[in-house]
Amino acid sequence: MKTNDVIIQFTAKIVFFIIFFFSIHIFLAGHYTPGGGFVGGLLTSSAIVLLIITFDINTVRHILPINYTYFTAGGLLLALATAAFPMFVGKPFFTHFFDYFDLPLLGKQSLHTAMLFDTGVYLVVVGVTMTIIQTIGEDE
Amino acid sequence: MPIVAALFVPLFYKRMKHIHTGWFVLAVPATLAIIYATYIAQVAKGEVFTAELPWIPSLDISVISYLDGLSLLFSLLITGIGSLVVLYSIFYLDKHKEKLHNFYVYLLLFMSAMLGVVQSDHLITLYFFWELTSISSFLLIGYWYTRDASRLGALKSMLITVGGGLMMLGGFVLLYLMGGTFSIRELITMAPNLAEHPLFTWSLLLLLLGAFTKSAQFPFYIWLPDAMEAPTPVSAYLHSATMVKAGIYLVARFTPIFAASELWVWLVTGVGILTLFWGSFFAVKQTDLKGILAFSTVSQLGLIMSLLGASAVAFHSNDSIDTIKYAAFAAIFHLINHATFKGSLFMIAGIVDHETGTRDIRKLGGLMSIMPISFTVAAIGSLSMAGLPPFNGFLSKEMFLTAMLALQNFEFFGFDTWGALFPIIAWIASIFTFIYSFYFVARTFMGNYKPEQLPHQPHEAPIGMLISPILLATCVIVIFFVPNFIGDTFVKPAVQAIQPFLYTTPQDVDIYVSAWHGHITPELLMTVGIIIVGVLLFVTLPKWQGLYRRFPQAFTLNNAYNKIMQGLDVGLNRLSQRFMTESMRHYLLYMFSGITIIVIGSLFLKDAFRIAWQETSPIRPYELILAVVLVIGTAIVILAKSRLTAIIGLGAVGYTVALFFVIFNAPDLALTQLVIETISVALFLMAFYHLPKLGKREERMKFQLNRAIISIAVGIMVTLVALSAHSQKLIPSISKYYEETVYSLAGGGNIVNVILVDYRGFDTLFEITVLGIAGMGILAMIKLRMNRKEKIHENK
């Protein structure tokens, strides 16, 4: 039976971006307000899940041609590299640096290496969640 | 040195196939024997030699070599008989059919271990070498490892001797605790103080267990007859001359320490005399040549052991009765004699086996004219074993009877009442010894020749194989004629080492051995009696040998051993089957009840439980409401009939917890909890949807009392622990530091996140690793399972 779910598909297209930007916001704001890499990652993947539910796995894979295991691996690598970097400049493992910079577009902002680590967390969470859901979803 | 040589044996074996490897090996014990022989003169004067090699200095463990009369005697026996056995084995073992490299490596290993045992002054190294003898003997008994009997015999001897060895280690440790030193010499000097120590008796018992198992004393002798599956050179060397005397050595060595104890005297003497009787009694029953010799070895070891026990009596008698001094002398003297005649007898048994193809005494007979030299040697050995003149066994048996007779003259330890038993048992045992000695020779070499029953056409052995038994038999006779030379050079220093409290130098041992004392002594009369009764019984042997068959098999010690082993096997299997049910629920039951008992028990035993109300905050109404919701959700999960209800109940619990996080001001946790709860409920639903149709029944969870009790107990335990942990905070929380430095040091405002990525980023790093592993795991499980399905299809 072919159902016509035009409303949900239309809504999903908009809601996806809302959730996605909200997740990015939560992720970036994590250092000062509630949020961070973990919740951000989960929200991003829930946005993708919304797409999967609305359309189907193959369509979503066509739209977002991503191998999520690379996400996991890349995230782990990034986190480890951030943690290991201070060792090369004579600081203990996992020392973070931060300072304030005047960036061209955004003005005066603080940049923190913890952010890089959090990006690693974000990538791993997205990767793992999507791997799990995709694998189970494809399984007959 | 033999250990080093052992390393090179396989090399010789591989490189020089055409020469029998034994020739290279022979050089080792022969050289050692000559080296030891150079010490004889000095040791006979009472000198001792020591050498020390630190091994683990921080633990006060070192290899201390100590050469006095006793160890020199044993070293000479080991190397001397070792050389003869190697010579014999060169002709006994075929160089093409046998794995000679294995044999000689094991043999040299054993030889080194044995030398280590007799020369160690250090308890731990003594134990080390002791176990090395057990292991190398295990390897030698199992030399023909394709035979079942060999493996069984090896296993049995291993279990018994190693069990005894471990007991002995316990005894050694106790000795160290008492004396504070590992050195035997130092322990001997403080012997009088040790006797008062509460651990004294325990160490004595443990040590004796080690000695008795090794020396095949009652009731641990059962491994020795089964060890006869070893090649005959091994039996001759290990199970007559050396290893079984390690226990004798141990008893002799520790006599100065323990002789003060009544228990020691009674145990050593009693067990020895019992073994003597038991072994000689059952030797007559055997039909296997080596079986007879094995039981005879057991009985002779019992004889030596009982003499050593009697020698400890001399510690207590104030020179009033001189005859008891004979005991130690007789023990050592008989030890030498036994090594000579039993070694030659084993070699003869091996020759008979080798030339006729059987060791069964019922098939043998009438070999006298075919193997005259073997017969002569066997006759000499047997007559000496029986204790007849003009062989050395006569002298030692006379002294043995003297010592046993002397025992009843003492008026302490109950010897005045029970002492009379000793000479009587000894006398009866000697009669049986006489019988089996004759039985051994007569059934093999006399009587009717039965060629049709023999696998091979018998003929005299090659001369090379005969050299060693002939040399040993010569010793048997020579020792009879010059006993005092042997006594002065070897026995007296050893006696002085056993009884340092009686003699300060070997020359003080004023014992003169003579075959004829010039007048008729009681022991001479006893010997005459032995011969008369023995001959009578031997002649009538076929008439009463049926008696042994009446002796029920169920009461033998072998049977007991088998029953114990089987019982252990079956019992432990049953035990593990009882508990290893392969049911996860049972294991969880064990774990939870174990944890609960331990935690609640320690909570109350240590008096750690307490509740402090003053630090608790007031309960707000919505907390109460949420708690009630939580409880209802939990109850739904437990009581739900449908699984769907349970899943939704679980989801409700999860969201309530998120709400709790909200009201307890944990926004990050609340966010995460909400999302995670959603995902896990979705996964649950998926699992629910995929349940197999078959056997899917919507049922309420069955109530089981024991599970309910354990769950309630676990709940109570966690509550109690949480309450008391909250009530006694020993150190203040470190969260103040985070609050103060979160902006200045870490440049952030969200404490939770800063802790996660900065202060304690390490944990986060591995948590995301865990996540990654979980993802990969799910991927692997699902994808690989599909692959396997495909493979099964392919196979079909």
Side-chain angles (χ1 to χ4, degrees):
Chain A
M1 191 182 77
K2 196 165 159 73
T3 50
N4 195 349
D5 39 10
V6 64
I7 296 178
I8 189 167
Q9 286 190 359
F10 181 74
T11 326
K13 280 173 195 161
I14 300 166
V15 172
F16 169 77
F17 286 102
I18 297 174
I19 300 179
F20 182 69
F21 285 123
F22 180 62
S23 79
I24 296 295
H25 163 77
I26 272 207
F27 161 61
L28 289 176
H31 226 57
Y32 292 94
T33 53
F38 200 81
V39 186
L42 282 176
L43 279 177
T44 307
S45 26
S46 68
I48 303 175
V49 170
L50 179 69
L51 284 187
I52 292 181
I53 293 170
T54 319
F55 301 95
D56 65 81
I57 275 189
N58 291 325
T59 321
V60 174
R61 183 175 288 161
H62 187 71
I63 304 167
L64 301 167
I66 300 166
N67 186 343
Y68 292 104
T69 49
Y70 291 162
F71 260 55
T72 316
L76 278 176
L77 212 63
L78 184 63
L80 190 64
T82 317
F85 168 72
M87 291 209 299
F88 295 101
V89 293
K91 293 274 171 58
F93 190 63
F94 244 117
T95 314
H96 283 307
F97 307 98
F98 67 97
D99 210 341
Y100 298 91
F101 297 97
D102 274 323
L103 295 179
L105 270 177
L106 304 166
K108 186 167 181 269
Q109 284 291 336
S110 77
L111 282 187
H112 200 304
T113 47
M115 204 63 221
L116 283 175
F117 183 75
D118 227 9
T119 315
V121 176
Y122 175 84
L123 288 177
V124 171
V125 172
V126 172
V128 169
T129 325
M130 290 320 295
T131 313
I132 294 175
I133 288 171
Q134 252 190 10
T135 341
I136 296 180
E138 280 173 359
D139 183 36
E140 272 101 46
Chain B
M1 187 174 116
I3 284 194
V4 181
L7 292 179
F8 290 102
V9 166
L11 198 72
F12 280 122
Y13 178 73
K14 290 275 182 217
R15 287 291 160 80
M16 290 173 244
K17 276 276 186 197
H18 52 288
I19 308 175
H20 199 287
T21 320
W23 290 111
F24 302 110
V25 176
L26 181 59
V28 178
T31 325
L32 278 176
I34 292 166
I35 293 174
Y36 285 125
T38 56
Y39 287 104
I40 293 174
Q42 286 149 298
V43 170
K45 288 197 200 91
E47 291 179 40
V48 291
F49 297 89
T50 54
E52 188 170 345
L53 178 73
W55 183 13
I56 313 174
S58 57
L59 292 181
D60 188 24
I61 291 176
S62 51
V63 184
I64 305 177
S65 168
Y66 176 67
L67 203 66
D68 63 353
L70 192 62
S71 31
L72 181 67
L73 172 72
F74 272 89
S75 306
L76 277 170
L77 269 181
I78 291 162
T79 48
I81 298 195
S83 319
L84 294 178
V85 162
V86 170
L87 182 68
Y88 175 75
S89 71
I90 291 174
F91 294 93
Y92 185 82
L93 294 171
D94 191 282
K95 72 178 165 198
H96 299 299
K97 287 185 205 147
E98 303 285 355
K99 297 186 184 65
L100 287 177
H101 52 312
N102 289 354
F103 181 78
Y104 286 112
V105 168
Y106 299 158
L107 197 71
L108 284 176
L109 193 67
F110 172 78
M111 199 180 286
S112 343
M114 208 51 219
L115 286 174
V117 166
V118 298
Q119 287 179 18
S120 287
D121 184 51
H122 194 280
L123 291 176
I124 299 300
T125 41
L126 175 57
Y127 172 72
F128 171 76
F129 286 118
W130 183 277
E131 290 301 6
L132 201 56
T133 64
S134 293
I135 290 166
S136 49
S137 141
F138 168 75
L139 290 169
L140 282 168
I141 296 171
Y143 174 64
W144 285 312
Y145 52 80
T146 47
R147 302 182 186 171
D148 281 341
S150 291
R151 293 203 304 269
L152 281 179
L155 183 67
K156 199 175 189 178
S157 75
M158 181 79 163
L159 285 177
I160 294 179
T161 54
V162 168
L166 283 175
M167 298 293 158
M168 191 184 79
L169 179 64
F172 282 176
V173 171
L174 290 183
L175 267 180
Y176 174 71
L177 289 180
M178 289 189 289
T181 171
F182 279 122
S183 163
I184 299 172
R185 271 171 303 157
E186 288 170 28
L187 282 171
I188 289 175
T189 55
M190 57 179 80
N193 307 332
L194 292 182
E196 307 298 319
H197 203 281
L199 293 174
F200 183 75
T201 314
W202 288 108
S203 73
L204 185 154
L205 285 174
L206 289 173
L207 194 109
L208 273 187
L209 266 179
F212 285 170
T213 48
K214 198 75 160 181
S215 276
Q217 297 296 299
F218 186 89
F220 307 111
Y221 70 86
I222 49 172
W223 64 268
L224 189 62
D226 283 348
M228 289 302 130
E229 291 301 324
T232 305
V234 174
S235 311
Y237 187 44
L238 270 68
H239 307 131
S240 72
T242 49
M243 188 177 90
V244 289
K245 291 190 175 132
I248 302 274
Y249 169 80
L250 196 76
V251 170
R253 182 52 92 196
F254 284 91
T255 296
I257 299 179
F258 291 113
S261 154
E262 177 182 353
L263 191 65
W264 170 274
V265 173
W266 269 102
L267 266 182
V268 178
T269 321
V271 170
I273 204 99
L274 183 61
T275 315
L276 166 67
F277 171 72
W278 193 273
S280 65
F281 181 66
F282 282 98
V284 188
K285 182 189 174 187
Q286 306 299 314
T287 53
D288 178 33
L289 279 183
K290 281 169 87 176
I292 300 176
L293 291 178
F295 273 97
S296 125
T297 305
V298 169
S299 119
Q300 305 277 321
L301 289 171
L303 189 156
I304 300 174
M305 199 62 96
S306 67
L307 280 172
L308 281 176
S311 78
V313 178
F315 186 84
H316 304 276
S317 72
N318 307 311
D319 282 5
S320 54
I321 296 147
D322 288 337
T323 42
I324 198 63
K325 288 184 189 168
Y326 274 98
F329 189 89
I332 298 302
F333 192 56
H334 191 70
L335 185 106
I336 302 174
N337 295 343
H338 178 251
T340 55
F341 68 69
K342 192 53 63 69
S344 70
L345 282 178
F346 264 112
M347 290 176 188
I348 293 300
I351 289 174
V352 170
D353 184 18
H354 202 262
E355 301 305 330
T356 63
T358 181
R359 294 193 319 239
D360 193 331
I361 210 158
R362 286 165 298 191
K363 296 181 184 167
L364 295 166
L367 294 177
M368 198 198 313
S369 52
I370 301 165
M371 306 168 80
I373 304 176
S374 311
F375 166 69
T376 316
V377 174
I380 293 173
S382 299
L383 292 178
S384 174
M385 185 158 73
L388 295 184
F391 306 105
N392 57 8
F394 173 72
L395 300 173
S396 40
K397 180 142 295 179
E398 292 285 280
M399 283 190 278
F400 168 60
L401 293 174
T402 313
M404 286 298 129
L405 281 171
L407 271 184
Q408 56 187 321
N409 298 330
F410 292 102
E411 285 164 1
F412 50 92
F413 295 173
F415 274 119
D416 42 351
T417 44
W418 297 100
L421 272 179
F422 285 104
I424 295 171
I425 299 176
W427 189 70
I428 299 173
S430 300
I431 292 173
F432 279 104
T433 309
F434 185 88
I435 297 171
Y436 71 70
S437 304
F438 267 75
Y439 177 67
F440 177 80
V441 177
R443 287 298 155 87
T444 314
F445 293 101
M446 298 179 198
N448 302 323
Y449 178 45
K450 297 170 237 176
E452 69 284 353
Q453 290 189 3
L454 298 179
H456 299 312
Q457 185 60 39
H459 53 79
E460 185 57 271
I463 185 66
M465 211 189 258
L466 283 168
I467 294 175
S468 308
I470 290 174
L471 274 175
L472 285 173
T474 319
C475 287
V476 169
I477 301 177
V478 167
I479 290 175
F480 176 78
F481 288 108
V482 287
N484 290 308
F485 170 70
I486 299 288
D488 289 342
T489 38
F490 299 115
V491 183
K492 283 182 184 174
V495 169
Q496 190 257 322
I498 297 178
Q499 299 176 316
F501 42 82
L502 279 184
Y503 315 109
T504 44
T505 63
Q507 279 72 33
D508 294 349
V509 187
D510 52 347
I511 294 171
Y512 185 80
V513 191
S514 61
W516 175 248
H517 295 279
H519 54 90
I520 292 177
T521 52
E523 49 270 24
L524 191 64
L525 288 177
M526 283 173 84
T527 308
V528 173
I530 290 169
I531 296 174
I532 294 170
V533 181
V535 168
L536 277 178
L537 280 177
F538 178 69
V539 173
T540 56
L541 183 62
K543 285 179 189 152
W544 59 269
Q545 209 175 15
L547 183 85
Y548 283 110
R549 258 174 267 127
R550 298 244 181 90
F551 191 80
Q553 189 69 29
F555 289 127
T556 57
L557 287 167
N558 260 324
N559 201 46
Y561 169 84
N562 289 339
K563 278 272 151 60
I564 290 174
M565 297 313 279
Q566 267 174 15
L568 276 179
D569 202 32
V570 172
L572 289 180
N573 255 332
R574 221 172 262 162
L575 194 73
S576 60
Q577 271 167 5
R578 179 100 181 69
F579 286 102
M580 303 283 135
T581 48
E582 297 184 1
S583 156
M584 194 54 104
R585 290 183 182 192
H586 288 154
Y587 299 155
L588 287 176
L589 275 185
Y590 304 150
M591 283 190 255
F592 279 127
S593 41
I595 292 171
T596 316
I597 290 167
I598 291 171
V599 171
I600 293 191
S602 53
L603 205 60
F604 285 103
L605 281 181
K606 295 277 172 193
D607 201 21
F609 177 71
R610 78 187 44 121
I611 301 178
W613 296 108
Q614 64 271 21
E615 275 186 44
T616 46
S617 37
I619 300 171
R620 288 169 292 178
Y622 34 84
E623 286 165 11
L624 204 63
I625 296 168
L626 279 182
V628 170
V629 172
L630 204 62
V631 169
I632 293 173
T634 317
I636 288 174
V637 172
I638 296 172
L639 300 175
K641 194 177 172 193
S642 141
R643 287 199 172 85
L644 201 58
T645 323
I647 292 170
I648 291 170
L650 207 58
V653 170
Y655 290 130
T656 322
V657 171
L659 281 179
F660 262 114
F661 287 145
V662 171
I663 61 172
F664 286 134
N665 304 327
D668 292 89
L669 289 181
L671 269 175
T672 316
Q673 172 70 22
L674 273 176
V675 184
I676 286 289
E677 191 57 41
T678 314
I679 289 180
S680 50
V681 167
L683 287 177
F684 263 125
L685 285 174
M686 193 133 60
F688 170 72
Y689 181 75
H690 285 291
L691 269 183
K693 292 270 180 294
L694 197 74
K696 180 165 76 175
R697 273 166 293 155
E698 294 280 308
E699 250 176 25
R700 201 181 293 276
M701 202 163 61
K702 266 185 255 160
F703 180 78
Q704 282 185 332
L705 187 65
N706 55 347
R707 292 184 195 164
I709 290 173
I710 287 176
S711 335
I712 292 170
V714 170
I716 291 175
M717 169 193 85
V718 174
T719 316
L720 289 183
V721 169
L723 278 178
S724 32
H726 179 263
S727 307
Q728 31 196 345
K729 283 180 186 150
L730 300 178
I731 42 172
S733 163
I734 59 163
S735 53
K736 273 276 180 293
Y737 168 80
Y738 291 139
E739 276 172 39
E740 282 159 10
T741 60
V742 64
Y743 196 80
S744 57
L745 285 183
N750 179 354
I751 296 187
V752 176
N753 202 35
V754 170
I755 289 176
L756 279 181
V757 299
D758 199 341
Y759 292 116
R760 299 228 179 143
F762 221 164
D763 296 348
T764 314
L765 181 62
F766 289 104
E767 274 152 24
I768 59 176
T769 315
V770 167
L771 266 183
I773 291 169
M776 295 304 120
I778 289 172
L779 185 72
M781 276 198 304
I782 288 174
K783 294 284 177 196
L784 289 184
R785 194 198 62 195
M786 281 159 72
N787 286 350
R788 199 183 301 144
K789 244 183 212 165
E790 281 158 22
K791 261 182 206 158
I792 291 168
H793 281 298
E794 278 167 24
N795 289 345
K796 277 176 185 168

